[in-house]
Amino acid sequence: MKNKKLVGTVAALSIGASLLAGCSTGGSKDDGKTHIEFFSTKVENSNTYKELIKDFEKKNPKISVDLTSPPDAGTVIKTRLTKNDLPDIIASGDDTTFTNLADSGELRDLSDKGFKDNIQPAFIDMVKKDYKKSSALYGIPYATNGNGVIYNKDKFEKLGIKETPKTWDEFIADLDKAKAAGEIPIYFTLKDAWTGMVALNSVAAPVGADQFAKDKTDGKTTFKKSYSEVADKLLTLEKYGHKDNLGVAYGDGNTAFAQGKGVFYLQGNWAIPEILKANPDAKLGVFPFPATNDVKQNKLVSGIDVLFSETKATKHQKEADKFIEFLASQDSAQTYTKEQKSFSAVNGVTQDDPTLAGYKDSFANGNIAGYADHFFPASLNAPNIVQDFFIKKNKDAFLTKMDKEWDKVANRK
């Protein structure tokens, strides 16, 4: 789901991506195969893709799939767009990178593809809501996620916490219990600005992402009016962190949590494979973030973590179609879902990992809320504003800045 802000210049990244791409939109190399470039905006799932690609190439020996998965992929793909150097297939989240590409007219309509029928209709509809040309289908939903709380089961047992909290007050009570026992209640990784959005999206779920965005655009509300309690709760949570909340990055945080530092970790299910890489024996669980004291209002924040698009630039539509069809098959999607600890948009694919049992009821009952920031203007730069809020802890300045930057974007249209 996430858009990492990693160190490196755009120029260096775009050059690296171009080198990795080879013949990004075209043709056969000296090996006599047709090469298609598969560009992924997530680095965590690269090993899973590599194994799926090996399987695909065995079954299709005349096609070679070249995986490109650079850091800061959103910036790289924007740079490549300006240079007319787009890959054949793009795997991204249902985020601003995707919607900007869809609105640019550079993606192919996949509405008539048979592999679309492998996907649950609710997720197809979710994708179509997110860009202006809603009659077309510019992305095939694949993996879905849960943005909530990961917890250490051994710490729960040590602290005598019998069940996961269902309300805000219960959560605060558990945080107080952890703090009193000398534990780090929440392990934060706010050095990477995007990780602050995990907390914001969770706390803001009851506000209603799409309705707030509509009302804000129509001048019916402001961040000052609707996000005052959200800001207060973010500051409350930050107090339960460690001594260096803003000095630890996401990768280091995964390792630290794997090593037993922290009882709770505000992250999506995408972090679980990374934590288990650092410590395969870590005993983890998950639960939806309890943003209020009304259990009925507390929903699991979820969205499409991966979808597949084809660019109009591809000269190998047939091969690109074949690869997406392969990925969207039940067998391939089940492999991805199991390895990446995700949930699937593909019909018939289940997630049976006990680590994720805490999210099952939410998905089964449709007790889901959208990501607040997916409805923010692309150029709002909310992660940096939220990060600054955690640094300065000035609620009024934070909400004023969010309103001002939103309005500035709106006035440019």
Side-chain angles (χ1 to χ4, degrees), residues 10 49 69 106:
V10 171
Y49 280 146
S69 186
E106 296 298 330

Side-chain angles (χ1 to χ4, degrees), residues 303-353:
I304 297 170
D305 196 46
V306 175
L307 52 77
F308 302 129
S309 302
E310 289 182 25
T311 65
K312 289 181 178 178
T314 181
K315 296 177 181 177
H316 303 290
Q317 181 181 328
K318 180 181 176 182
E319 289 81 2
D321 284 352
K322 203 163 193 176
F323 184 54
I324 293 179
E325 182 178 24
F326 166 81
L327 291 174
S329 69
Q330 194 172 106
D331 286 347
S332 295
Q334 189 67 66
T335 296
Y336 183 97
T337 298
K338 182 179 180 180
E339 290 191 8
Q340 289 300 309
K341 310 291 184 186
S342 63
F343 293 84
S344 185
V346 177
N347 289 315
V349 176
T350 59
Q351 176 50 268
D352 300 317
D353 192 315

Side-chain angles (χ1 to χ4, degrees), residues 100-128:
N100 287 343
L101 283 167
D103 289 333
S104 74
E106 296 298 330
L107 301 182
R108 296 185 59 246
D109 181 7
L110 302 175
S111 298
D112 62 345
K113 300 301 176 184
F115 47 73
K116 180 199 72 172
D117 298 332
N118 293 354
I119 310 301
Q120 297 178 46
F123 293 111
I124 296 284
D125 293 340
M126 189 182 294
V127 169
K128 286 186 172 184

Side-chain angles (χ1 to χ4, degrees), residues 32-329:
K33 298 179 181 180
T34 298
H35 285 254
I36 56 174
E37 184 189 4
F38 178 49
F39 185 102
S40 172
T41 62
K42 283 172 65 76
V43 295
E44 298 94 336
N45 56 10
S46 294
N47 287 336
T48 299
Y49 280 146
K50 287 174 184 176
E51 291 305 310
L52 288 170
I53 288 169
K54 283 182 185 177
D55 189 18
F56 174 78
E57 291 178 341
K58 283 180 184 177
K59 296 172 181 176
N60 299 274
K62 293 184 179 181
I63 304 173
S64 180
V65 179
D66 302 327
L67 175 64
T68 304
S69 186
D72 203 6
T75 300
V76 174
I77 203 68
K78 288 175 186 175
T79 303
R80 292 184 60 174
L81 175 62
T82 64
K83 296 182 176 182
N84 296 315
D85 177 37
L86 287 176
D88 301 280
I89 302 171
I90 299 173
S92 69
D94 185 13
D95 52 22
T96 54
T97 295
F98 166 66
T99 54
N100 287 343
L101 283 167
D103 289 333
S104 74
E106 296 298 330
L107 301 182
R108 296 185 59 246
D109 181 7
L110 302 175
S111 298
D112 62 345
K113 300 301 176 184
F115 47 73
K116 180 199 72 172
D117 298 332
N118 293 354
I119 310 301
Q120 297 178 46
F123 293 111
I124 296 284
D125 293 340
M126 189 182 294
V127 169
K128 286 186 172 184
K129 284 181 181 178
D130 290 345
Y131 48 79
K132 298 168 187 173
K133 300 167 185 175
S134 57
S135 61
L137 178 64
Y138 294 118
I140 299 297
Y142 192 60
T144 65
N145 56 35
N147 179 108
V149 185
I150 302 171
Y151 68 96
N152 184 315
K153 289 184 176 181
D154 287 338
K155 300 283 186 183
F156 260 44
E157 186 175 348
K158 178 182 174 182
L159 294 168
I161 300 175
K162 303 297 184 184
E163 59 182 12
T164 57
K166 302 297 188 293
T167 67
W168 172 260
D169 284 348
E170 289 175 1
F171 188 38
I172 295 300
D174 287 343
L175 293 175
D176 284 332
K177 185 178 288 188
K179 191 172 185 178
E183 297 282 357
I184 298 171
I186 302 174
Y187 205 88
F188 283 102
T189 58
L190 298 173
K191 183 176 182 180
D192 283 331
W194 69 266
T195 65
M197 299 306 294
V198 177
L200 181 138
N201 283 319
S202 293
V203 177
V207 175
D210 53 348
Q211 189 60 50
F212 169 78
K214 184 178 184 303
D215 289 345
K216 171 63 180 166
T217 301
D218 293 342
K220 295 179 180 178
T221 192
T222 62
F223 278 97
K224 277 197 171 185
K225 290 179 182 177
S226 295
Y227 270 65
S228 177
E229 185 177 350
V230 171
D232 288 337
K233 287 181 175 177
L234 287 176
L235 289 180
T236 297
L237 293 173
E238 196 268 344
K239 292 177 183 177
Y240 289 99
H242 46 92
K243 293 180 180 179
D244 197 18
N245 289 341
L246 286 137
V248 179
Y250 171 69
D252 293 331
N254 290 336
T255 301
F257 195 73
Q259 294 170 345
K261 296 179 181 178
V263 178
F264 300 97
Y265 196 39
L266 304 185
Q267 265 299 345
N269 59 283
W270 56 78
I272 293 174
E274 300 302 301
I275 296 169
L276 293 177
K277 281 180 188 176
N279 179 10
D281 297 323
K283 295 180 181 178
L284 308 174
V286 296
F287 60 90
F289 187 90
T292 75
N293 284 321
D294 182 351
V295 175
K296 294 179 180 177
Q297 285 193 54
N298 294 334
K299 301 177 184 296
L300 174 65
V301 175
S302 177
I304 297 170
D305 196 46
V306 175
L307 52 77
F308 302 129
S309 302
E310 289 182 25
T311 65
K312 289 181 178 178
T314 181
K315 296 177 181 177
H316 303 290
Q317 181 181 328
K318 180 181 176 182
E319 289 81 2
D321 284 352
K322 203 163 193 176
F323 184 54
I324 293 179
E325 182 178 24
F326 166 81
L327 291 174
S329 69

